[in-house]
Amino acid sequence: MVAKTFIGGVHPHDYKEYSQDQALERMPLPKRIILPFLQHVGKPAQARVGKGDAVATGMVVAEADGFVSSPIHSSVCGTVASIGRHPHTCGTSVEAMIITCGEDQSQRELLPELDLQRVTPDEIRERVRQAGVVGQGGAAFPTAVKLSPPRGKHMDVAILNGCECEPYLTRDYRLMIERPEAVVSGLKLVMKALAVESGFIGIEDNKTEAIRVLREVAAEDPDISVVAVRTKYPQGAEKMLIKVITGREVPPGKFPPDIGVGMQNVATGVSIHDAVVKGEPLVTAPLTVTGRGIRSPKNLIVPVGTPLEDVLAYCGGLTEDAAKVIVGGPMMGVAQYDLSAPVMKATSGIVVLTREEIERGDETPCLGCGKCVEVCPVHLMPTRLVRYAQLGRFDDAERLGITVCMECGSCSFICPANIPLVQWLRLGKQKALKLQQERKAQ
């Protein structure tokens, strides 16, 4: 059977070989952790403890501030050293809490046990909210919100995204191989929370072992299907995977619940399982550390708040020709300017590139070749949108659909003229969204 796919996209070398055979290992605790109050989409959490207070692993140290927010739990036993601004992996500084690790790490706060035979959708959502679970696929949207269907929206399909289409990253692959029961359990809990009867796990067809293992685990559940999809970037994008699995399209400006679909990343599914079944709040981040610029690539389970520099040191440190550290994948990740920034709940990987790998040819005028149009997965015209952005014609860019752009980077990857298309598209999109907000405020 030919694996399903979408129109457009690109085929970068996946570089999975650096870390795909490295089993997840638990990293030792650092000397201190830094917990930004903003580790999710929405309003930052609000501090619940202060300087000098003792905290235990799993204790809530910052409470959610509203519906679209998420609590922050301590990932260690220790003492609050300070609260103030600290570098963040997004490239700015944010309010954060620094906790010094204590010698005694025996105290651990778990959430109360649930009756798994009688657990209700409301109890699942509340447990996921209490555990501080956020989306592990990159956006870090509070998961309890995604498990709460908007009033009047009928959901009938739940999907776990196991594509992991970003080059280098292998965290999801290792989770699917090492914890397949938790992945399937997480999907079942999502299905119950959304009151849907059909569940799917979408996996790129280069992950044959993950497909085999999950099909074995899900074999006795007729409501769950493991779907092999073609290996192509950005196959794991929400709209792309929904189209491939269900045949449905998410209209511009709409979201998956508008077409009856709930989607989570496979790592989010594991976190849901751990929260509901084991009572564990989200205090660790499974992630990949990889690339030619790191001496010992690994897949790790890292305490949330661990400084990036500590993680890199645990992996043998940087090579002499290391030139760029990226949090996330090379296509959509963020290059880091300060390695004291911490690992956060949704950190999926740290990729270290060498000087040779980041060299880029000189930018030349657009050749008019149309390659960017061919590969755009949402069928935009990147070069024209970029020209509008360069000219400050953001209203024209909005009319041509710039707000639909996923910023996936496919156009920049394929451009023979080395034009930084995605950077201009990101700028134009931000300006167009601001125009939309101003119109709504009038």
Side-chain angles (χ1 to χ4, degrees):
M1 180 176 175
V2 177
K4 299 179 180 180
T5 192
F6 61 97
I7 297 173
V10 293
H11 296 271
H13 190 288
D14 64 20
Y15 297 103
K16 306 285 189 182
E17 66 272 12
Y18 289 118
S19 60
Q20 64 184 2
D21 296 326
Q22 299 294 320
L24 285 160
E25 62 176 281
R26 195 168 291 271
M27 181 179 165
L29 296 180
K31 294 180 179 179
R32 65 170 189 163
I33 60 166
I34 302 105
L35 297 176
F37 296 151
L38 187 60
Q39 298 190 41
H40 49 265
V41 170
K43 297 181 69 176
Q46 298 296 313
R48 182 175 172 178
V49 296
K51 183 177 179 179
D53 287 345
V55 300
T57 302
M59 177 187 291
V60 175
V61 295
E63 297 177 314
D65 186 17
F67 182 58
V68 185
S69 185
S70 183
I72 308 294
H73 302 75
S74 176
S75 58
V76 299
C77 294
T79 305
V80 178
S82 64
I83 297 176
R85 307 289 292 186
H86 194 85
H88 189 282
T89 54
C90 70
T92 62
S93 63
V94 301
E95 199 75 4
M97 178 181 297
I98 298 178
I99 299 174
T100 303
C101 295
E103 292 184 6
D104 182 4
Q105 292 291 321
S106 61
Q107 287 186 293
R108 184 176 181 86
E109 293 191 6
L110 297 176
L111 298 166
E113 289 187 13
L114 292 174
D115 184 345
L116 298 178
Q117 300 302 317
R118 300 181 180 179
V119 66
T120 67
D122 284 340
E123 287 175 330
I124 293 172
R125 285 188 283 269
E126 179 60 17
R127 171 52 55 87
V128 168
R129 185 196 68 78
Q130 293 173 341
V133 179
V134 302
Q136 303 287 291
F141 202 86
T143 302
V145 178
K146 292 185 72 173
L147 294 180
S148 304
R151 186 172 298 175
K153 302 293 184 185
H154 173 68
M155 312 281 280
D156 63 343
V157 172
I159 299 173
L160 285 193
N161 184 347
C163 289
E164 198 167 44
C165 60
E166 274 270 12
Y168 290 97
L169 303 186
T170 57
R171 173 203 68 177
D172 291 352
Y173 175 69
R174 295 309 311 180
L175 282 172
M176 289 186 285
I177 289 177
E178 297 180 39
R179 300 196 63 192
E181 292 83 4
V183 172
V184 173
S185 171
L187 176 56
K188 290 180 179 179
L189 290 167
V190 171
M191 293 168 66
K192 188 163 189 175
L194 296 176
V196 305
E197 295 183 355
S198 297
F200 298 89
I201 305 174
I203 308 175
E204 285 191 330
D205 59 4
N206 64 344
K207 302 172 181 64
T208 55
E209 183 64 9
I211 293 169
R212 182 190 66 79
V213 170
L214 282 171
R215 282 180 173 167
E216 286 182 359
V217 172
E220 297 182 3
D221 196 322
D223 298 326
I224 294 178
S225 301
V226 178
V227 181
V229 296
R230 191 178 304 171
T231 301
K232 181 168 62 170
Y233 181 86
Q235 183 70 77
E238 193 171 64
K239 292 183 178 181
M240 276 58 262
L241 190 57
I242 289 173
K243 171 66 175 177
V244 167
I245 289 180
T246 69
R248 305 174 191 177
E249 292 190 11
V250 181
K254 299 294 183 180
F255 301 96
D258 293 309
I259 59 169
V261 178
M263 178 178 284
Q264 304 286 348
N265 178 268
V266 291
T268 313
V270 171
S271 295
I272 292 170
H273 164 86
D274 289 345
V276 177
V277 176
K278 302 167 71 175
E280 294 182 354
L282 184 54
V283 295
T284 58
L287 56 86
T288 301
V289 186
T290 185
R292 285 170 54 187
I294 190 74
R295 296 187 187 280
S296 182
K298 296 179 183 290
N299 285 298
L300 299 174
I301 298 174
V302 178
V304 171
T306 302
L308 299 177
E309 56 195 354
D310 288 11
V311 180
L312 295 172
Y314 182 70
C315 294
L318 305 180
T319 62
E320 292 181 358
D321 58 345
K324 181 178 288 188
V325 176
I326 299 170
V327 166
M331 299 295 283
M332 295 188 71
V334 179
Q336 299 300 299
Y337 74 98
D338 191 330
L339 297 182
S340 70
V343 167
M344 296 191 294
K345 294 180 182 182
T347 301
S348 59
I350 305 171
V351 178
V352 186
L353 303 179
T354 62
R355 283 188 289 272
E356 179 183 359
E357 290 175 301
I358 67 171
E359 286 182 358
R360 186 183 181 94
D362 294 334
E363 180 180 342
T364 62
C366 174
L367 305 174
C369 65
K371 289 184 177 180
C372 61
V373 178
E374 292 176 4
V375 302
C376 179
V378 289
H379 316 303
L380 299 177
M381 300 179 67
T383 50
R384 182 168 295 183
L385 290 170
V386 165
R387 189 58 178 153
Y388 283 152
Q390 292 171 333
L391 295 172
R393 293 169 57 179
F394 303 114
D395 51 348
D396 289 329
E398 181 187 0
R399 281 192 288 272
L400 204 60
I402 198 169
T403 58
V404 178
C405 175
M406 301 188 303
E407 303 175 26
C408 68
S410 295
C411 54
S412 290
F413 176 82
I414 205 71
C415 179
N418 297 311
I419 301 172
L421 295 169
V422 73
Q423 285 87 342
W424 281 109
L425 288 168
R426 184 175 291 127
L427 172 65
K429 181 179 175 180
Q430 291 172 349
K431 297 291 187 180
L433 290 172
K434 186 176 181 180
L435 289 176
Q436 289 182 354
Q437 293 172 352
E438 291 174 350
R439 285 197 297 271
K440 290 179 180 178
Q442 292 177 354

